[in-house]
Amino acid sequence: MRCAVLSDIHGNLEALEAVLADVAALRPDRIVCLGDFVGYGASPNECIARLRPLVAEAVAGNHDLAACGRLRLGYFNDAAAEAARWTDVSLTPEHRAYLHALPYEARLPGARLVHASPAAPTGWHYVLSTRDAEEEMAAFDEPLCFIGHSHYPGLFEKDGRTVRYTRDAEVAMRPGRKYLVNVGSVGQPRDGDPRAAWLLWDEAGRRLVHRRLVYDVEAAGRRIIEAGLPRFLADRLQWGE
Ligand code: ZN
């Protein structure tokens, strides 16, 4: 089984189309989404319409829940809160209902899917250090858990009691080890690389492959400005931060 794992699209249709073209070229058996379909970007309905028929499993991100009223905006920064309110009034009733019904976690044979934290799927913690990862990795029994949320691709590998972190683009999975994998963000990368990110899980080949794609950042930014969203949200796409 080869599985494409996408996360944090954030209403960026230009990035999503680039990623889906790359996914199609690699012909995975299955596509899954770790949430944050919307928020920040100017094409929330278009992204849901495009992705929904393609994904076998999807979970809710905090921005999905904020945009459909299932989560309060209390801890969002100003730009995120403004984008969430804009998304709230822009969503079609059908797309709002879709986001509203997304589960917090999903399971595939051999892998757990959550947006942010397997230990607390409703808590929206960031897994940024090996210490964070140790706690999170005690919370799932599968050999693999896929997360997004930080928009920072990379993975934690646990061998016995030792957890190490790597940002290698391709990782060979070894028997008996456990992996917590951040697949990065399709629509708003924050690791200083503006290219769209997604991950291929090649189960039979025991490989995890981070993919990066150049896309039309200018067009995505223009759409954000034309929609009247904060200019900062367009600018940050160019920096990948
Ligand atoms: Zn996100």
Side-chain angles (χ1 to χ4, degrees):
M1 206 265 300
R2 290 160 76 251
C3 180
V5 191
L6 279 55
S7 190
D8 296 275
I9 294 92
H10 284 292
N12 184 338
L13 185 63
E14 288 75 14
L16 179 61
E17 291 295 358
V19 163
L20 289 178
D22 191 45
V23 168
L26 294 181
R27 302 168 63 92
D29 304 296
R30 183 184 277 168
I31 302 174
V32 298
C33 180
L34 306 180
D36 279 4
F37 287 78
V38 304
Y40 299 131
S43 308
N45 289 304
E46 294 86 343
C47 286
I48 296 170
R50 187 77 172 88
L51 205 46
R52 184 181 176 180
L54 301 177
V55 295
E57 297 285 350
V59 296
N62 51 323
H63 286 261
D64 299 324
L65 301 186
C68 70
R70 238 173 95 189
L71 186 71
R72 273 185 290 168
L73 298 177
Y75 74 103
F76 273 42
N77 65 40
D78 288 350
E82 192 176 335
R85 282 190 289 269
W86 179 91
T87 306
D88 188 347
V89 296
S90 304
L91 281 173
T92 67
E94 186 196 341
H95 291 152
R96 166 186 288 274
Y98 175 68
L99 297 182
H100 208 273
L102 287 172
Y104 284 106
E105 59 182 356
R107 291 165 200 230
L108 298 174
R112 181 89 55 101
L113 312 176
V114 291
H115 180 66
S117 155
T122 62
W124 318 116
H125 305 144
Y126 289 96
V127 186
L128 299 173
S129 67
T130 51
R131 180 182 279 201
D132 297 338
E134 270 175 45
E135 211 180 303
E136 298 290 343
M137 291 174 94
F140 60 92
D141 300 322
E142 297 90 340
L144 258 174
C145 175
F146 294 110
I147 58 172
H149 194 49
S150 70
H151 301 198
Y152 223 92
L155 70 79
F156 298 93
E157 179 182 36
K158 188 172 183 186
D159 177 18
R161 297 172 67 94
T162 313
V163 176
R164 75 175 188 107
Y165 179 69
T166 176
R167 300 206 54 216
D168 288 352
E170 185 167 334
V171 172
M173 295 178 67
R174 294 190 233 177
R177 299 200 180 172
K178 208 165 168 180
Y179 297 85
L180 178 61
V181 183
N182 194 310
V183 304
S185 169
V186 170
Q188 197 199 72
R190 292 180 193 159
D191 59 341
D193 180 346
R195 293 176 301 165
W198 69 279
L199 180 122
L200 180 75
W201 170 32
D202 177 356
E203 192 184 19
R206 303 194 64 82
R207 286 184 318 145
L208 296 160
V209 185
H210 291 281
R211 305 279 299 174
R212 298 304 287 258
L213 282 309
V214 172
Y215 74 95
D216 195 343
V217 172
E218 300 287 333
R222 267 199 309 277
R223 228 192 261 256
I224 286 170
I225 291 162
E226 283 164 12
L229 287 161
R231 190 183 185 97
F232 162 68
L233 297 177
D235 292 343
R236 72 184 298 178
L237 295 179
Q238 304 198 14
W239 313 319
E241 280 174 9

